Amino acid sequence: MCLGIPGQLVRWVEREGIFSQAEIEFDGVRRVVHMACVTEAEVGDYILVHAGIAINRIDAREAERIFETLAEWGDDEGWHESLPEGGEHES
């Protein structure tokens, strides 16, 4: 299963062509995302992103619904790999 996370478009880095990119903010963290599939998006729009690629533009209401669902899940057990004592991976 894949999970797309909504973020808000902050600024375009490169808007033209297949290598278009924009800066997207996810809960205070900003990342540059490939935007070739969502070139019609405008600053302030919510963008659904999977693996660094924008896959769809969504409205603020849908973004809020997704944020609420993620907050309800709350338990992130198994989402982060635990390191053994000492903080290093075992070989």
Side-chain angles (χ1 to χ4, degrees):
M1 178 174 80
C2 298
L3 180 63
I5 303 296
Q8 192 168 30
L9 196 154
V10 175
R11 71 178 180 90
W12 280 96
V13 175
E14 174 62 49
R15 191 160 187 165
E16 301 300 320
I18 61 170
F19 299 110
S20 59
Q21 296 181 327
E23 187 175 341
I24 307 292
E25 184 171 321
F26 305 91
D27 195 28
V29 176
R30 293 183 179 192
R31 296 284 184 251
V32 173
V33 170
H34 297 281
M35 298 288 291
C37 297
V38 193
T39 56
E40 74 281 1
E42 299 293 336
V43 170
D45 285 350
Y46 284 93
I47 309 299
L48 199 56
V49 178
H50 171 69
I53 300 171
I55 55 176
N56 198 11
R57 186 175 59 159
I58 60 174
D59 62 33
R61 185 183 230 164
E62 179 65 10
E64 186 59 35
R65 190 185 70 74
I66 294 169
F67 294 143
E68 288 172 0
T69 300
L70 291 172
E72 285 174 12
W73 289 351
D75 182 13
D76 64 356
E77 185 179 338
W79 288 24
H80 304 285
E81 181 180 350
S82 298
L83 294 176
E85 239 177 87
E88 294 185 21
H89 290 282
E90 295 177 15
S91 303

